[in-house]
Every structure is written in C-alpha cells, then in structure tokens.
Amino acid sequence: ASYRRADFIQYIDSREPVSTIDQDEIAENLTNIYDSDTYGLNAMRQTLPSHCYKKIREVIASGQPLDAQIADMVANGMKEWAIKKGATHYTHWFLPLNGLAAEKHDSFINIMPGDDKVLLEFSGMQLIKGEPDASSFPSGGLRSTWEARGYTVWDATSPAFIRREKNGAVLCIPTAFCSWTGEALDQKTPLLRSMEYVSEESLLTLQNIFNEKYKKVFPTLGIEQEFFLIDRKFYLSRPDLVNCGRTLIGAKPPKGQEMEDHYFGTMNSRIISCIQEVEWKMWKLGMPLKTRHNEVAPGQYEVAPIFERANLAADHNMVLMDVLKASATNHGLVCLFHEKPFANVNGSGKHNNWSLSTDTGLNLLDPGSTPSQNARFILFLAAVIRAVDVHSDLLRASVAVPGNDQRLGGNEAPPSIISIYLGQELDNLVSNIVNSTNNQFSADADMNLGVIGFPPLPKDSTDRNRTSPFAFTGNKFEFRAVGSSQVVNFPCIVLNTTVAESIKFIREEILKEMQTNSRQNAFNKVIKDVLSVHSRVIFNGDGYSQEWRDMAKSRGLLSLKTTEALSLMSSEKNIKLFSADGILSPVELACRQEVLFEIYAKSMTIEAKTLYDLIATLIVPACFKHQKNVADSLNSIMPFIQGQKSFCQPTAQLQHLSDLVDNINRLIEQNQKLMGLIKQCSEIKSEHDRAFFLQQNVSAAMLDVRKISDELETIIDDTIWPIPKYSEILFLR
Ligand code: ADP
Ligand code: MG
C-alpha cells in the first residue's frame, strides 16, 4: 500500500471502540430516560398549568390553531424546560427542498434598553412563527429574491426536542416552511395536507360503506434505514466519497459479499459502540428504535424503529440521519447514506412500511378474521392496488433521486418498474374476485358486506420477495424503492395522496351503484371492477428477471429512468390529483419538479467533475510512476539482452508495458472526453435539459472512464495506488 494507505491501515488497526455514552445510562434507567429530551405531552404535563396542558393536548389531537395566550404559556414552559436541559438557543427546525434539515439558532438572551442585565426570553410568537431569511433555499422559482422571506410555522403534532452538542444544547422546534404568499417551500407542509386528505377520505368511506365511526385516520410509517459505516481515514482520502458520498472508481475486490458472511453477523465492536450511542440519543428523543443488524454488503448496516404516525416517523428519520452522521464521527467512522456507495456490492434503501390506522389503533390493512373485517380490508387493499397502478409514474418519481439511478434495477435492489407483490394467498383472493361470476363472491348469504370468505392470513404468509419495489407484508405495504439518502416525505405524500384518491373513487363508485343495487352487490361489483382493471400491476415473481421486464412491457407498465419519471410529475393527471385536495397547487408541484431536476443536474455535475479531477490529479500521475518503474526496469536489463544472444527476450514484460501505455492513453483520452461533455453540459440553459443530457451522455462517459481506471487499479503497483481500495474500505474497521 502507498505510504498513506499503509499508515491508515496501521492506524485503524490500533483504533479501539470508544465509550461515548454516560455510564449511568443502563437499561434500568431507560424507561425514565426515554423521551426525556422532547417537550412532548409528558414534559408538558409536568411544566404547564393544567388548563393550558388540556388545551395544548386538544390542539395536538385536532390540529386546530393555538391561541396567543396559550402559546405564550407553552413557550414559557418549553423555555424553562429547555434551559434546565442545558439549551442556550432555540431554532425552528424545518425541511426545505434541498433534502436536508435546516436550522438557524437564536439564543434566549435579551437585554432591555437601558438595562445591563441579561434576560432569558422566549415568547409564544417566537414559538409559533419564525422568519428565517430563506433566500438561498431552493424554491424552484417560487420566490424571487426580493420576496425571499419565508415563514416557519410550528407543527405542534411533532414535539420540540433538544439537540446536544459537546458544549451546549439547542431547542429544536419542528416547523413547516412557507413563502409569504402561503406556498409550501418544504417537505412537511404537503405531508400534513396529504395526511389530512387520506384521513378525511378514509373516515367518510368507513362511515358511508361500513357504518363505522372514527375520529381520525393516520398513515403510519416504519422506516428501515440502511447505511454504510466506514473508517473516517479512508473517507477523508477519497475525494469522491467526500464530494459525492459514493466511490466513482474502485476495482471489484477479490472478496465481496459472495460469502454472505456479513448479513446478520456479529457486529464489530467499534460499529456497535457507534450504533449504541445513536440508540441512546434517539431513545431520549422519543424515537422507538427497535432493531439493528448487519446488512448484506460488507460495511453495511440497518436500524429500524417501531412505526409511528407518518409525520413523526418522517421527522424522526431526519433526526436519526443527523445523529448517525454525528455519532459516526465520534467513533472515527463516517456514515454513508448514498444509495450506491460501492459498485458490485449491495446499495442502501430506506424501506417505507406504510399503513393506515384509526385513532383507536385499528390497522385498516389488517386482513382480520370476520367477513366484514375482510370486506373493509379488501376495500383498502383495492384502493392501494388501484393507486399504485394509476399513479405508478408518481411513485417512481417520488424515488427519482440521483443515487437511486445507480441502485434501482440493479440485481439487488427493486427494479424501476413499479409493481405490487401480494403473496400467494392474497393473489389467489384477488384472482377469485376477478374471476367470480355475477359479482357473487360472498360465500354466505348472511354476510353483511361479505366478500368471499377466506381464512385469516397468517402474518408471515407473505414470504419475503426482496425483488418487489412495493410489497404487502401481512398488514402493511413496504415501499422498498425509496433511496437510503432520501427524505421520506415525498414518497409518503405520494402514497397518502394517491391512496386517498383511490379510496374516494371506490367509495363514490359504490355509492353510485347503490342507487340501483343493494349495498352488498354494489360493493362486490365495484371491488371486482377495480381489481379487474388494475390487477395488472400485481406481480409475485422475480422482479430482477428479463422475463418480468418483457411481461411488464406487454402489460403496459412503465419502466422509467429518473429523468423521465421527473418529467411526468407535472402531467395533467398529476396536476389534477395534487390540486384536488390542495396537497400541492400546480405552481407548488411545478416548483418541486424544478428543484428535483436542479438537484439531479447539480449532483451529477459534481460527480462528473470530481471524477475528472480524481483521474487527472491522482490516478494518472500514479500510473505514470508505475509506467516509469516498468520502463526503467526494462531499460536496466537491456544491456544484458543486447550483450548475449542466448539471453531470453522480455516479451511478457514488453507486452505489459505496451498494455500499460495503451490503458493510460485511453484513460487520458476518455477523461478528456468527459471534460468535453461537462463543458457542453454547462452551456445548456434549463435544469431539465441538463439533467437529461447528464443521464444520457455524461453518465455513460463516466462509466467508460471508470472501467479503464478499474483495470489499471488491478495492474498498478499496490504501493503506488493513491487512494484506499474497496478491499480496505469495506473490510477494515
Ligand atoms: P421485518 O420486516 O424485519 O420482519 P417488521 O415486519 O416487524 O420487520 O417491521 C418492519 C417495519 O415495519 C418496522 O419499522 C415496523 O414497526 C413497521 N411496521 C409494522 N407494522 C406497521 C404498520 N401497521 N404501519 C407501518 N409500519 C409498520
Ligand atoms: Mg432491510
């Protein structure tokens, strides 16, 4: 290994797991510590006058606005609590469209004019509303700079929390972020709107069709988060990892994941120390982290929480990603969220387990054991199937981030053709309904709204088809195509909205049919119709196979690249869908699309430039050194060859040198070609066209460069190769 790499390896060998959590934090205390860093109902009960506590509890349950007097009291309680926890600052924590969490800290201090004493202050107004100068967040053209002010508004349903740093703490207040004209500039606002929409449609349907009354329906989300943890030393010496979060070159190591010895293996002690730190921090923040394990690729891990209401789960996932990043640093590690940081081993996803739950905790996607429970289940199931079929373009677009280009459709990740996996039992059920005659699929005449009687589904009846982008797993759907680096909000917005629209469609069809038909027959007929039209999206086989690609094509299902998927976002159908219930106005939708194209184009451009630099300034010079060594070596034996007739000819060595010269030539040429394309791309005006150009031309050129570089990596003297190799990054810790 080159001197730098050799040093790293020695250094890493000497690294020890670090203990970063308070030694008092033992399991016995966990029940007290859990949630202790959030200003949720518990903390409110302890710090607010009881009438105020009752009021805020109502506000949280109903989502109604907070009046000024109560807001002042809550703010005061929150401030006192936060200061006791060590907070000196507060911030409106929000999720702009750039894919990160944003915050601007204000300290609690204030000085009255003419006074020299510092006060600690935090008012109701400061709690409810903020005005960050937000001109440099992406808005997709929504705000021109002269109207750059945005507002942040507290989402009282997601509790404020404390974020600790080594030298202090910050009170973070989850907020929605809007322009001064009220347009959503963030990921939270439309998520809350879509939650409202799916709640209303579900409540109406439960009431009109099943005579069941509930106060509210919530989408629930359980987010499995995959990531890589690698040593920080390796990370810092690879410009591609630092700039892009993924390796742009790197030869396949002799040992990859083929031994399958990593998955569910014993966790390395440095790694587990890091994840333990994350868990303690997240438990204190009230995120119910439940599982942790090694994933398939070497260096890859997963943590997953117990599911929560969608907006809370989404906020928690954002905080989790931040905490993972920060904790990794404490342990001399780096956490990579990129969807495909290393070629030839698995990439990372973020499985979104999604369902609908009533305020009483009834899971609407739970098959249940009585006919009427089954009927309800079938209706919601049919709604999801229809939503995924009608809006597969949107589901695809919701996971269209640059990193997923490297992952989706690879032979380890769900393909970019959106289909649903139901498992054998449910698939049979759907076929029975579709093939039933006279809409009579009720087995028993007494059944009130009974669909065909089927035995309760055993929970694990849905075997794990890992090849499906969207799978039914017993009592919830698992949207697996979501990328590991993504903010889950948009995929969840799409799910909530499309399913809500389908629920509405089905309810209205049934009610229409009921004008001339019994409720039972109307129900059966509509369900049968919906399933007949949309069951083409169901696929239970191997999603990686060519056979499926062909079959999907003949069924008319879309297979979309990122840029194509993003283009379809603003189609007539989608504009209508999103504006129907005010989830996203046509302008808001167009802005989102614009931002997604912009992010795509920018990150692809950074990747292309990073690769060019990496090759030009690190790889090619290293190749020259090696080339010189080989040439010098050959030169040094020339006198012997020329002097003695019987001396063997260095044919293979000459060939080696010749191949080397050829490879280096091609590497330089391809890299120059890449630079030519980068320049050409920079002249393209629209983000949209640039994104297409990058996907169609630049990414292929990058692969050409990579291929030659990876070949050279296996030839060049190991002590000269300038950057850590896959075999080191993936296996040494
Ligand atoms: P696994 O997929 O590893 O067998 P589970 O099926 O228990 O694990 O759960 C995976 C994730 O799905 C967890 O985060 C879990 O909390 C979540 N989950 C379970 N039920 C629901 C539900 N009704 N809604 C949303 N997420 C759920
Ligand atoms: Mg997993």
Side-chain angles (χ1 to χ4, degrees), residues 85 101 128 134 164 167 197 275 287 294 337 391 442 465 510 533 570 587 646 696:
K85 294 271 171 194
I128 293 177
R164 288 176 198 290
N167 296 317
Y197 184 32
I275 293 183
M287 181 191 198
N294 286 357
F337 289 114
H391 302 294
S442 164
N465 183 331
I510 295 176
V533 175
S570 58
V587 179
S646 61
Q696 272 160 15

Side-chain angles (χ1 to χ4, degrees), residues 608 611-612 670-678 698 701-702 705:
L611 178 60
Y612 176 84
Q670 286 300 333
N671 207 36
Q672 280 165 351
K673 201 173 139 201
L674 175 63
M675 183 40 83
L677 289 171
I678 294 171
V698 177
M702 288 175 69
V705 170

Side-chain angles (χ1 to χ4, degrees), residues 136-148:
S136 37
F137 292 115
S139 70
L142 243 180
R143 286 157 310 145
S144 31
T145 1
W146 52 269
E147 55 190 35

Side-chain angles (χ1 to χ4, degrees), residues 220-224 304-307 353-355 363 464 475-476:
T220 50
L221 257 191
I223 304 165
E224 300 168 52
I306 298 169
F307 68 93
N353 295 273
W354 180 93
S355 189
N363 180 352
R464 321 216 121 232
N475 58 0
K476 61 184 187 290

Side-chain angles (χ1 to χ4, degrees), residues 38-42 44 48 52-53 55-67 70-71 74-75 78 92-93 124 127-129 152-161 172-176 188 192 195 218 309 311-312 315:
T38 72
Y39 195 64
L41 286 178
N42 262 330
M44 287 179 178
L48 298 177
C52 173
Y53 169 70
K55 188 75 201 158
I56 183 81
R57 202 178 55 182
E58 259 173 59
V59 166
I60 292 171
S62 65
Q64 58 186 244
L66 203 58
D67 73 53
I70 298 290
V74 174
M78 193 185 282
H92 277 201
W93 181 88
L127 165 64
I128 293 177
K129 203 167 180 186
T152 48
V153 184
W154 184 32
D155 167 17
T157 60
S158 181
F161 58 92
C172 299
I173 302 162
T175 53
K188 188 190 264 287
L192 295 175
M195 287 172 70
F218 298 97
R309 291 180 184 179
N311 63 324
L312 201 54
D315 283 356

